[in-house]
Amino acid sequence: GNRGLYRWSDGTQYEGSWKEGSFNGIGIYRTPAVGVDYSMYKDGYATGVGVFWNAGYTKAYHTLDGVKMDETSLADAEKLARDKFGLPAPSSKPQLGISSSLGRIFQRKRVGADGKPLFKDNGAWGSYNGDFDASGKRHGQGKMTYDGDSYYEGGFVDDKFHCDKGVYRWVDGDEYEGFWSEGERHGIGVFRMADGTVEYSVYEKGVQVGDGVVWSADRKTVNKLVDGKKQNEISLAMAEKLAKDKFDLPLPEPFTAASSPSVSKPSLLGRIFQSKDNGAETSVKKGPRFEDCGDMGTYDGELLDGLRQGEGKMSYDSGNSYEGDFSNNQFDGNRGLYRWSDGTQYEGSWKEGSFNGIGIYRTPAVGVDYSMYKDGYATGVGVFWNAGYTKAYHTLDGVKMDETSLADAEKLARDKFGLPAPSSKPQLGISSSLGRIFQRKRVGADGKPLFKDNGAWGSYNGDFDASGKRHGQGKMTYDGDSYYEGGFVDDKFHCDKGVYRWVDGDEYEGFWSEGERHGIGVFRMADGTVEYSVYEKGVQVGDGVVWSADRKTVNKLVDGKKQNEISLAMAEKLAKDKFDLPLPEPFTAASSPSVSKPSLLGRIFQSKDNGAETSVKKGPRFEDCGDMGTYDGELLDGLRQGEGKMSYDSGNSYEGDFSNNQFDGNRGLYR
């Protein structure tokens, strides 16, 4: 709900909006003898820029994600409070009770001087022209025009922006067009800046997440975005592929006074996706016809239930071809060679129709690139040789970087990719060349089977299936004494708890899927540093936390990158709420689990109910985050709904809005 006040027993308070039991929306956090913080909250955590006043309200500071940053003037702090949060600056005068104070603070609708209703969205008031429901809420199609002539035009549900195509235009000319949910940008969206820059991104609850792409105003320069942050420059061809594959959008129109859709020549990578079938007869008619990414062709190879399964070759009407492994009717396996009609080739591993794993990309008269691929894109450090193999360069995510020596390039090719350096000698065909390059199993000198994982050979001790693949529990010990111990499925690491330990002492413990770290995992470094993260297909994603070796310093992680320092209390809360893990053990020779005093925020989650009688017995008993208490307020079918107050056995309290038996609304004070 919009109104909730939670009081801790030591006098600390949270007052503001709640959703599903967590701080969510505008919130005021008061700490006795410390100060007052105004922030926007998401799922229990402060996000973005806020403002903090000291206990006497004589100094003010900006905050970022709840962490105090640089000092600012009291006048600027008051302006930020008013403009961003719609709140007055805190005062040393006694605070009004929740019924009057929050009622004004979080008001979202009022009547204008002309008698027509005005509405407030994200702190801005404006007039509305559109559809309403029976209760007077905005519902259906409509347009909001705000003070200063910013506007939103699109769909509304339950008084909030909610539709598949809504446009918000700021007074400075910036514009967002895309999906909205419950008042937030949520889904695929296009952000067009007044200077002509255009971003394609995916949003979750108003925040840019994952991979995106941004074009310059002249459309000649394109950069990758990760969680809204600009990364390395990428090719126009790669940008075109991202726009089509991830966003299902055309290229942005040219930035001109009278713009028209641009038509670009298919790129090298893009040609695999171009549609070529015009119904014309071709000379290749030996087998059944299939279509891959818009390109029709004829198949010669193994079939299962009429679908391509096993080894085969596709000859396309465009002149392109593919020869290698198939699974479930798609390019899928450790060996596949795709040739474009102009001589460009990709040779390597595939998964579900995309480059995935070790790959060799050859471009005539340009050069050869060795990279690791994920879902069709080059990732991490690779190596590139020019056409004559006289020069070599490092690559990063497929982009050519600094020059390196031929000796170092050969070493990188051998150590990382298990491949020889390219040669001017004629290349062997796929049947012999890739058979050796991507071989994953062989027999050792002692006659026992050896297996290769991520380029490293090793011996195996564990369970097998009927076909001789690793399946069940087992241990792989690699050259150099690195090892993996855990579950296997279909010859790949796959389990809820698998441990990979490197020879230098670093160790990962956690979830694995199809050979990749996938899910919650703990990375313990040899120097004592410990990371808690979530992995998707081997890549750290979203929020994580990293402790120093002495456990006294903790930083937030975002997509595996270290961010600002956070408090030990916040780290403890993250460890419990997001990862369901205890704090990391101390880094000592004989370590034992650490027990820490509950933090201020952590106290809302501590378990207190021991069955003892308390003096508070006016209403029914409820538990919130492990803290038992007595409720006085409105109920619906025996559950808390509407306004009420919880008094907990711990001495904490909450007063404000409830919905579906949880703290939920714009007004809530937790003490």
Side-chain angles (χ1 to χ4, degrees):
N2 291 325
R3 301 188 297 174
L5 172 61
Y6 197 101
R7 294 184 177 94
W8 283 265
S9 54
D10 65 358
T12 302
Q13 300 178 4
Y14 171 84
E15 184 176 20
S17 298
W18 299 76
K19 185 173 183 182
E20 298 179 355
S22 295
F23 314 154
N24 208 86
I26 295 174
I28 305 170
Y29 196 87
R30 303 183 182 96
T31 308
V34 177
V36 176
D37 174 82
Y38 290 0
S39 286
M40 290 293 295
Y41 287 81
K42 284 277 186 185
D43 302 324
Y45 297 98
T47 62
V49 175
V51 60
F52 172 86
W53 290 265
N54 68 350
Y57 311 127
T58 57
K59 291 185 177 181
Y61 303 82
H62 291 120
T63 63
L64 181 62
D65 295 342
V67 178
K68 191 167 72 171
M69 307 296 284
D70 57 303
E71 187 173 353
T72 186
S73 69
L74 294 175
D76 284 345
E78 183 176 5
K79 185 176 186 300
L80 179 59
R82 183 177 65 249
D83 294 349
K84 179 163 186 174
F85 301 102
L87 298 172
S91 168
S92 56
K93 296 177 183 178
Q95 298 293 307
L96 296 173
I98 187 171
S99 60
S100 58
S101 173
L102 280 177
R104 292 196 303 273
I105 289 171
F106 296 103
Q107 182 184 22
R108 293 193 62 212
K109 182 178 178 181
R110 59 183 168 88
V111 178
D114 58 1
K116 294 181 180 179
L118 299 176
F119 295 85
K120 183 167 73 169
D121 299 301
N122 302 309
W125 285 97
S127 59
Y128 177 67
N129 182 21
D131 301 326
F132 293 89
D133 64 13
S135 67
K137 291 182 177 179
R138 296 168 295 178
H139 196 99
Q141 292 297 304
K143 182 176 181 179
M144 279 293 302
T145 304
Y146 301 96
D147 298 340
D149 290 334
S150 294
Y151 70 82
Y152 166 82
E153 188 167 8
F156 291 81
V157 172
D158 196 28
D159 231 18
K160 297 175 182 175
F161 309 155
H162 193 109
C163 61
D164 291 348
K165 188 177 181 181
V167 176
Y168 195 105
R169 187 175 178 86
W170 284 263
V171 69
D172 63 2
D174 288 350
E175 177 181 282
Y176 169 85
E177 179 179 8
F179 284 73
W180 298 81
S181 178
E182 296 188 353
E184 301 276 9
R185 290 173 282 185
H186 191 82
I188 291 173
V190 179
F191 196 90
R192 303 180 185 94
M193 297 176 211
D195 64 4
T197 306
V198 175
E199 294 181 357
Y200 289 2
S201 289
V202 174
Y203 292 78
E204 285 186 8
K205 296 180 179 178
V207 178
Q208 290 170 282
V209 296
D211 291 347
V213 60
V214 53
W215 283 265
S216 62
D218 61 8
R219 307 293 183 258
K220 294 180 180 179
T221 304
V222 193
N223 288 74
K224 186 178 179 182
L225 295 174
V226 175
D227 294 339
K229 299 181 178 67
K230 187 185 285 188
Q231 307 292 317
N232 53 283
E233 185 176 338
I234 62 175
S235 68
L236 295 174
M238 184 68 77
E240 182 181 1
K241 186 174 187 298
L242 256 176
K244 180 174 182 179
D245 294 355
K246 182 172 180 115
F247 301 102
D248 194 24
L249 291 171
L251 294 172
E253 296 182 352
F255 181 54
T256 58
S259 62
S260 59
S262 60
V263 179
S264 62
K265 182 180 178 181
S267 62
L268 283 178
L269 278 175
R271 270 170 286 173
I272 192 170
F273 300 100
Q274 69 186 151
S275 177
K276 289 284 186 179
D277 191 35
N278 55 13
E281 291 296 311
T282 70
S283 59
V284 184
K285 297 297 288 184
K286 291 185 292 184
R289 301 273 288 168
F290 291 91
E291 180 181 355
D292 295 301
C293 306
D295 203 358
M296 288 294 298
T298 303
Y299 178 67
D300 183 18
E302 300 174 61
L303 294 167
L304 179 64
D305 297 328
L307 301 178
R308 297 168 296 181
Q309 184 76 25
E311 293 188 8
K313 180 176 180 179
M314 283 293 302
S315 300
Y316 297 97
D317 300 349
S318 63
N320 301 340
S321 68
Y322 170 82
E323 184 178 1
D325 295 333
F326 290 83
S327 180
N328 294 320
N329 210 40
Q330 295 178 305
F331 312 150
D332 197 314
N334 290 324
R335 301 189 300 173
L337 173 60
Y338 195 101
R339 293 186 176 96
W340 282 265
S341 56
D342 67 354
T344 301
Q345 298 178 5
Y346 170 84
E347 183 177 21
S349 297
W350 298 75
K351 187 175 181 181
E352 297 178 356
S354 293
F355 314 155
N356 209 86
I358 295 173
I360 304 170
Y361 197 88
R362 304 183 181 95
T363 308
V366 176
V368 176
D369 174 84
Y370 290 0
S371 285
M372 290 294 296
Y373 287 81
K374 285 277 187 185
D375 302 324
Y377 298 99
T379 62
V381 175
V383 60
F384 172 87
W385 289 266
N386 69 349
Y389 311 126
T390 57
K391 292 184 177 181
Y393 303 81
H394 291 121
T395 64
L396 182 63
D397 295 343
V399 178
K400 191 167 73 172
M401 307 297 284
D402 57 302
E403 187 172 353
T404 186
S405 70
L406 293 174
D408 284 344
E410 183 176 5
K411 185 176 186 300
L412 179 59
R414 183 178 64 250
D415 293 350
K416 179 164 185 174
F417 302 103
L419 297 173
S423 169
S424 55
K425 297 177 182 178
Q427 298 293 307
L428 295 172
I430 185 170
S431 58
S432 57
S433 172
L434 278 178
R436 292 198 304 273
I437 290 171
F438 297 102
Q439 184 184 20
R440 293 193 62 212
K441 183 179 177 180
R442 57 183 170 89
V443 178
D446 58 1
K448 294 181 180 179
L450 299 177
F451 294 85
K452 183 166 72 169
D453 299 300
N454 302 308
W457 286 97
S459 60
Y460 177 66
N461 183 20
D463 302 326
F464 293 90
D465 65 12
S467 67
K469 291 182 177 179
R470 297 168 294 177
H471 196 98
Q473 292 296 303
K475 182 176 180 179
M476 280 292 304
T477 304
Y478 301 97
D479 299 341
D481 289 334
S482 295
Y483 70 82
Y484 166 81
E485 187 167 10
F488 291 81
V489 172
D490 195 30
D491 231 18
K492 298 175 183 175
F493 309 155
H494 194 109
C495 61
D496 291 348
K497 189 177 181 182
V499 176
Y500 195 106
R501 187 173 178 87
W502 284 264
V503 69
D504 63 3
D506 288 348
E507 179 182 282
Y508 169 84
E509 179 180 8
F511 285 72
W512 297 80
S513 178
E514 296 187 355
E516 301 278 8
R517 291 173 283 184
H518 191 82
I520 291 173
V522 179
F523 196 90
R524 303 180 185 95
M525 298 178 209
D527 64 4
T529 306
V530 175
E531 294 181 356
Y532 290 2
S533 288
V534 174
Y535 291 78
E536 286 187 6
K537 297 181 179 178
V539 178
Q540 290 170 281
V541 296
D543 292 345
V545 60
V546 54
W547 284 265
S548 61
D550 61 9
R551 306 295 184 260
K552 294 180 180 179
T553 304
V554 192
N555 287 76
K556 186 177 178 181
L557 295 174
V558 175
D559 294 341
K561 298 181 178 67
K562 188 185 285 188
Q563 307 291 318
N564 52 284
E565 185 176 340
I566 60 175
S567 68
L568 296 174
M570 184 66 79
E572 182 181 3
K573 186 174 188 298
L574 257 176
K576 181 173 183 180
D577 294 355
K578 179 162 185 154
F579 300 101
D580 194 24
L581 291 172
L583 294 172
E585 296 181 353
F587 181 55
T588 57
S591 61
S592 59
S594 61
V595 180
S596 64
K597 182 180 177 183
S599 62
L600 282 178
L601 277 175
R603 271 172 287 172
I604 191 172
F605 300 100
Q606 69 187 151
S607 177
K608 289 284 187 177
D609 192 33
N610 55 13
E613 292 296 309
T614 71
S615 60
V616 183
K617 297 297 290 182
K618 291 185 293 183
R621 301 272 287 168
F622 291 92
E623 180 182 354
D624 295 300
C625 306
D627 203 357
M628 289 295 298
T630 304
Y631 178 66
D632 183 19
E634 300 174 62
L635 294 166
L636 178 64
D637 297 329
L639 301 179
R640 298 168 295 181
Q641 183 76 24
E643 293 189 10
K645 180 177 179 179
M646 283 293 302
S647 300
Y648 297 96
D649 300 348
S650 63
N652 301 342
S653 69
Y654 169 81
E655 185 178 359
D657 294 335
F658 289 83
S659 179
N660 295 320
N661 209 42
Q662 296 178 308
F663 313 149
D664 198 316
N666 287 328
R667 299 194 294 177
L669 174 60
Y670 193 104
R671 290 189 176 95

